[in-house]
Amino acid sequence: MRNLLDFIAKYNNWLLFVVLEVASLLLLFQFNHYQGSVWFTSANWMTGMVYELDSSVEAFFSLKKVNTDLARKNFFLERQVNQLSRLYAEATGDTLTREKLAAANIAQYEVVQAKVVSNTVNRPDNLITIDKGRADGIEVDMGVTSGNGVVGVVYLVSDHYSIVMPLLNSKSRISCAIRNRGYFGYTKWNGGASNYASVEDIPRHAHFKRGDWVETSGYSSIFPAGIIVGKIVEVYNSSDGLSYRLKIHLSTDFANLRDVCVIKDKSFVERQQLLETARDSLKLR
């Protein structure tokens, strides 16, 4: 204690200078809007850079696992494509039409690859930050996926970064359907484990079983149909007893999320403009 007092007595002038300097900076940035906005912008930029550097280091040490996952997924996708191609050709005898339809469907979409620079999984309203923004063509309400399935929807956009609202957010709602069954509902996350969510409003007359896959329905302008969401593990009645609520194991590992893809639908802007026109028309009636 005596040494501490001797230190303060020896350097009291410098300590007083530092305290006054910090107090003056706090007053400057807190009570002056321009200086405060400059500080806020610079702090956000620095935070983004730190997150990006941290993410790059973690991504480097997880490259082996990423490559293994990609190789495994490519293997199964190749098998699925070959099997579907063979079955279609056997059923119709026409491979040219199938190739044209597939090319037309793919041509509607563009994909922008991005890195996750910030991510949480243990909050009621988790958010993800990615390193692509308005300058890269990213817009609000674009869908985001990983190599394993759905991630979420773009929520906010700046010039070089975007905030994504993932499935692990209490406000997230994504239209989905049970594969090969035709019944659809919407996803909902009520907290808890980051690898489980629920699907609400599945009709009572629906026929399905545990182990069936849940995928995007294509009924919204955000995701095309057929992107995996998860697999059914439990079935419950809804609170009103009028529908089913499904517990699904999410296909995306949010706790180990590094690389994502933002889906750019070339018809997105046209559909949004048409929807806004329809809403304005209804308001005038």
Side-chain angles (χ1 to χ4, degrees), residues 157-176:
V157 178
S158 67
D159 288 340
H160 302 291
Y161 294 94
S162 298
I163 301 296
V164 177
M165 180 186 291
L167 286 171
L168 305 185
N169 188 298
S170 64
K171 299 179 179 62
S172 174
R173 301 290 187 274
I174 294 177
S175 177
C176 57

Side-chain angles (χ1 to χ4, degrees), residues 273-285:
Q273 291 176 346
L274 182 62
L275 183 60
E276 290 298 326
T277 301
R279 288 173 177 169
D280 292 340
S281 177
L282 289 174
K283 290 178 181 178
L284 295 175
R285 293 181 179 179

